[in-house]
Amino acid sequence: MRMKKSIFFFLIIGGFLFCTAPPKKTAQINKAAFGISEDGATVDQYTLINQSGMEVKILTYGGIITNLFIPDATGKKTDVVLGFDELKLYESSS
């Protein structure tokens, strides 16, 4: 009987730890409107984030990478791409 109580106890504790464990990070893809091109086409910006926290933003206007955020050892993200904030600037200088 004591053995059954021990097993039951460990199952309860194990279930509690499993249910309260922090969720694993998963990759994400987000879509947002970026602007309207001169010819009237809608341009979207896709944001891809991996499990390590690396983040890239890509436009549907020529596949332009507008941002690339890379986390350092402390988790602080730094953008390593020189990009524009407006579609108009990509159209006039690309």
Side-chain angles (χ1 to χ4, degrees), residues 4-54:
K4 286 183 182 180
K5 285 183 179 179
S6 297
I7 292 172
F8 181 74
F9 175 77
F10 284 113
L11 288 175
I12 295 296
I13 296 299
F16 176 78
L17 292 175
F18 178 77
C19 292
T20 59
K24 293 182 180 178
K25 291 183 181 179
T26 59
Q28 297 177 21
I29 299 175
N30 301 314
K31 176 183 172 184
F34 191 75
I36 307 266
S37 67
E38 290 177 354
D39 62 352
T42 301
V43 176
D44 295 318
Q45 182 177 54
Y46 283 86
T47 303
L48 288 73
I49 305 170
N50 72 4
Q51 293 89 343
S52 301
M54 190 173 185

